[in-house]
Amino acid sequence: MSYFNLIQKKGSKPIPPAPNSIRKETVYSVPTVKSSSTPSTFRPKPALPKAKAGAPKAGRLRTNGSLQKSARRRKQSPQTRLLSDSDSGESDTATETPRKRVKVVNETWPSVKRQLLCSVAFSDDDCGKFAMVHAADIASLDKTSKYRHAFPQELGNHVVKLQYPSASQQETFEIVEPTQSDEYKPLDDIKETLEVIADYYLPVQDATYFKDDSNGLLRRLKRARDKRDGNLYISLIHEWNDAIDDRRRTGLIAQTLGKLASLDLRLIERILTQTYARTVSPRVSSLRQYENGTDNVYGELLPKFVSEIFQVTGLGPNHVFVDLGSGVGNVVLQAALEVGCESWGCEIMDNACVLAELQEQEFKARCRLWGLAIGNVNLQRGDFLENTTIHQVLRRADVILVNNQAFTPELNDRLTSHFLDLKEGCQIVSLKSFVPAGHKITARNLNSAYNILDVVEKRYYSACVSWTDAPGSYYISRKDSSRLQAFMEHGVGS
């Protein structure tokens, strides 16, 4: 049951109420292991049993019986690991588990093909020099209490540069490892970056050279690291740089990227992870400065859940996306990268705004390194109920995200009144329903914003949000005035 109280106004003769406006659907998000990307800020571990997927919730919600029946028979599929985060030295002859792409929720998404390749990033006319945070800026021997030499032998140079798929500058890494397991690991970053580039940017004919299990370049790099041979490791990075630069100059990388219809979540997470690690992670303690029991509580939706939201709502490159209470900007950036749409965010907490602006700058630099075109990113500071720019954008928005999990009832109530100005068909995604369960249109509440929202409840699996591992519900409210119009014209709901 929502926190809202029904808005009642005096009327004359009562008219029979229209039907309940909330529908319940059982929708399963992809049951993958939580990625190591985008670290969550707060992760309490409540000792609560996990809810059974598809289990009906109490409340007077219309349900699709066939969906619920099949959901009870369905078992969770085994979790699939997208990326290996192990540092352990495995046998050279060990068979690696094939990587699986994440199954999409909406098979027809995206309906419009977008431009993925950033032409400027692949141009030889571009000097490729721009401001960015190098890995060596956050992980170096200068931070003696946090990092140490990654290899035991004396190296001629503890710095190595890594070539990305574009013509842009190389990134500088120091060959170090953290003294604490929860710190940023530059060699893991290199490993995962090379694997993603090899999988998505290189033509099929290069598979043997880069990915052969016996003597491919990636295998040789892993072998050098496992044997802790620093000089060999550095020489193999140089070999990688030459090979990538050669394939870029011959146009093979651009051709391969041009054949992609959309970006896989694994590639998206790699870019978001790099951005977050270089901007938010070193300053993450500032996000703990919040007042409990208020609207200013910080939490994150994780990339696989966000990707599902984009697919379920059908968000496309020609659409406008708005995140109200956007925090450090993770979802705004993901929409611009994954969908290529015009992406807006508004945040009231100053410390989160500072980090969001740092992320925006680094994100644009990262996407240029990776040679990817992105949608317009627009971050606003202040109260989204008072921000006039956001009010104007909301009038043309196609999808609005509101992480209202910790919003007070007063804020939810005030926000609902703004939905009256949305265009027809606009979808609002929230973690709590804006419409009370069992709400019906009556002659006494004709001015209520609830009457123009058609709400569907959906389910997500575990490890989709930063504040809990438990599965849960989310809601998609579509602006649809037809039921209210039918009620006013005929005295019945449509």
Side-chain angles (χ1 to χ4, degrees):
M1 186 73 176
S2 168
Y3 289 120
F4 290 110
N5 295 319
L6 296 178
I7 303 173
Q8 299 289 338
K9 291 197 174 183
K10 292 184 178 180
S12 52
K13 184 178 179 180
I15 302 175
N20 178 354
S21 61
I22 303 181
R23 301 194 306 278
K24 182 171 182 179
E25 291 184 357
T26 304
V27 177
Y28 294 91
S29 56
V30 183
T32 53
V33 170
K34 181 182 173 184
S35 169
S36 57
S37 66
T38 314
S40 58
T41 307
F42 304 108
R43 294 195 55 75
K45 301 282 187 178
L48 296 175
K50 291 189 176 180
K52 184 177 179 181
K57 294 183 69 175
R60 293 182 293 171
L61 305 179
R62 284 187 289 162
T63 62
N64 185 325
S66 61
L67 282 174
Q68 282 192 318
K69 185 175 180 180
S70 62
R72 285 194 293 268
R73 291 197 300 263
R74 184 185 299 175
K75 295 181 179 180
Q76 277 191 330
S77 57
Q79 294 181 329
T80 304
R81 183 173 294 277
L82 295 178
L83 285 174
S84 171
D85 54 6
S86 173
D87 294 338
S88 60
E90 57 185 74
S91 169
D92 292 339
T93 58
T95 302
E96 293 185 350
T97 303
R99 298 184 184 90
K100 298 181 180 179
R101 294 178 184 243
V102 176
K103 181 181 178 182
V104 297
V105 178
N106 182 356
E107 296 290 348
T108 63
W109 183 85
S111 58
V112 179
K113 185 174 181 180
R114 55 172 285 220
Q115 176 66 34
L116 294 176
L117 185 144
C118 175
S119 57
V120 173
F122 282 91
S123 172
D124 283 328
D125 297 333
D126 177 30
C127 63
K129 301 293 183 183
F130 46 85
M132 60 176 281
V133 181
H134 291 263
D137 295 329
I138 60 171
S140 70
L141 293 176
D142 291 340
K143 307 177 187 300
T144 53
S145 62
K146 292 186 175 182
Y147 288 92
R148 63 194 175 204
H149 294 292
F151 299 110
Q153 75 266 40
E154 185 66 29
L155 301 179
N157 188 359
H158 288 281
V159 175
V160 66
K161 293 183 179 292
L162 184 67
Q163 181 64 51
Y164 282 78
S166 68
S168 301
Q169 63 192 352
Q170 297 177 338
E171 181 171 15
T172 304
F173 288 79
E174 279 199 26
I175 309 301
V176 295
E177 63 183 11
T179 56
Q180 302 293 327
S181 60
D182 59 348
E183 294 289 344
Y184 167 72
K185 303 176 179 64
L187 297 191
D188 281 2
D189 191 356
I190 291 175
K191 169 184 174 291
E192 293 163 11
T193 296
L194 267 53
E195 289 175 346
V196 169
I197 293 174
D199 283 346
Y200 298 105
Y201 285 80
L202 299 175
V204 176
Q205 58 265 33
D206 273 339
T208 301
Y209 174 73
F210 287 97
K211 298 190 290 184
D212 180 73
D213 284 342
S214 299
N215 205 39
L217 180 54
L218 297 182
R219 172 60 68 181
R220 286 183 281 139
L221 265 167
K222 183 184 185 310
R223 193 178 299 143
R225 183 180 174 185
D226 290 345
K227 294 180 177 178
R228 302 182 68 77
D229 188 336
N231 289 315
L232 176 58
Y233 182 88
I234 291 174
S235 70
L236 290 172
I237 293 294
H238 293 160
E239 181 181 339
W240 164 273
N241 292 343
D242 292 341
I244 292 298
D245 190 57
D246 176 68
R247 283 150 181 81
R248 178 191 60 80
R249 291 183 180 279
T250 58
L252 289 176
I253 290 179
Q255 291 173 17
T256 304
L257 185 59
K259 294 177 182 178
L260 296 179
S262 60
L263 298 180
D264 193 74
L265 181 59
R266 182 164 157 256
L267 171 56
I268 294 164
E269 286 190 301
R270 181 93 300 266
I271 297 171
L272 296 177
T273 298
Q274 289 188 327
T275 303
Y276 194 100
R278 288 157 176 77
T279 54
V280 178
S281 290
R283 306 168 180 86
V284 74
S285 60
S286 67
L287 295 177
R288 298 191 178 99
Q289 300 168 9
Y290 68 94
E291 185 179 351
N292 202 10
T294 70
D295 303 308
N296 301 331
V297 178
Y298 184 74
E300 296 171 356
L301 306 187
L302 301 181
K304 70 170 184 179
F305 182 28
V306 173
S307 183
E308 176 186 315
I309 290 171
F310 296 160
Q311 295 178 46
V312 170
T313 58
L315 186 65
N318 298 324
H319 289 162
V320 177
F321 172 79
V322 183
D323 184 0
L324 298 179
S326 52
V328 298
N330 291 337
V331 180
V332 178
L333 302 183
Q334 185 171 341
L337 175 58
E338 183 170 2
V339 182
C341 62
E342 180 182 342
S343 188
W344 289 78
C346 187
E347 175 57 44
I348 194 171
M349 295 171 62
D350 286 337
N351 45 10
C353 288
V354 170
L355 297 182
E357 289 161 2
L358 290 174
Q359 276 220 104
E360 180 187 2
Q361 296 172 12
E362 183 64 19
F363 170 74
K364 292 176 178 178
R366 290 279 138 195
C367 290
R368 189 167 172 184
L369 280 179
W370 288 85
L372 296 174
I374 58 174
N376 253 343
V377 175
N378 305 272
L379 297 174
Q380 294 282 309
R381 287 186 177 226
D383 186 342
F384 52 67
L385 294 175
E386 308 295 335
N387 189 299
T388 56
T389 300
I390 289 296
H391 290 174
Q392 294 171 1
V393 174
L394 287 176
R395 293 175 182 269
R396 57 189 183 88
D398 297 282
V399 177
I400 300 169
L401 174 64
V402 187
N403 179 3
N404 62 340
Q405 180 70 29
F407 281 7
T408 60
E410 292 76 19
L411 179 57
N412 272 324
D413 205 358
R414 291 177 62 199
L415 181 56
T416 307
S417 64
H418 285 264
F419 297 159
L420 292 167
D421 296 327
L422 302 179
K423 68 181 183 181
E424 287 292 305
C426 178
Q427 298 175 83
I428 307 146
V429 182
S430 60
L431 296 189
K432 288 183 178 178
S433 177
F434 285 103
V435 178
H439 172 74
K440 298 175 182 178
I441 303 176
T442 70
R444 302 178 64 186
N445 66 9
L446 291 180
N447 293 328
S448 172
Y450 307 148
N451 298 332
I452 51 103
L453 296 178
D454 182 35
V455 185
V456 176
E457 179 184 0
K458 296 182 181 291
R459 296 283 296 172
Y460 61 82
Y461 270 107
S462 60
C464 282
V465 297
S466 68
W467 55 88
T468 179
D469 284 331
S473 295
Y474 68 105
Y475 301 84
I476 299 181
S477 306
R478 182 187 296 271
K479 183 177 180 182
D480 181 3
S481 303
S482 61
R483 292 176 60 257
L484 178 60
Q485 292 171 357
F487 182 88
M488 296 176 68
E489 292 173 4
H490 308 293
V492 294
S494 58

